Amino acid sequence: MASIDFAQVDWLYVILLVVFVCVTTFLGNVLSFNHRATAALLSGLLFGVVFVFWTYYPHRVPFLPRMLANPETPVAAPAPAATPAPAAPAAPQKPANPVRDITPPRNPVTDITPPATAPERTPAAPAR
């Protein structure tokens, strides 16, 4: 099991989110007149709105996560390690799709049941 590398945590962002949760919980409690279930629902809804606005709205404000702060700057890919070239090309892989034929789908009603035909007409018997 991997442990958390606390040196990589953006602590200012975590503190800012904790402040958002505290404020939205307080507002949810005030707006629901101390009804616990309603306060919890309002707090979650308010936090979701504030979090989406703060994280994804295109404004230039501090405390954004590192990955969202500078979306224009490309991330440099690590240099590939020197790997030996394969001796022979590998065999082509089969597709993962188990369906092998490409016939159109069949209709089970008309495939099993023959189409209804009009009954054969017999000459009308003379009326008596």
Side-chain angles (χ1 to χ4, degrees):
M1 185 167 164
S3 62
I4 298 174
D5 184 11
F6 289 107
Q8 297 295 321
V9 175
D10 189 358
W11 290 106
L12 284 176
Y13 191 64
V14 171
I15 291 169
L16 182 69
L17 291 180
V18 168
V19 169
F20 283 164
V21 168
C22 290
V23 169
T24 57
T25 302
F26 176 75
L27 288 175
N29 199 18
V30 168
L31 291 174
S32 68
F33 302 110
N34 292 328
H35 294 284
R36 290 182 193 159
T38 308
L41 183 65
L42 282 174
S43 297
L45 184 66
L46 287 172
F47 176 75
V49 169
V50 171
F51 177 77
V52 168
F53 174 77
W54 188 261
T55 305
Y56 296 104
Y57 185 77
H59 49 41
R60 302 286 178 230
V61 294
F63 306 119
L64 284 177
R66 291 179 199 151
M67 63 185 169
L68 296 175
N70 296 322
E72 293 88 19
T73 57
V75 177
T83 57
Q93 291 182 346
K94 292 184 179 181
N97 187 356
V99 178
R100 302 247 187 257
D101 72 351
I102 53 173
T103 57
R106 299 174 61 179
N107 185 346
V109 173
T110 57
D111 289 344
I112 294 173
T113 308
T117 58
E120 294 183 19
R121 293 189 160 226
T122 57
R128 292 189 185 177

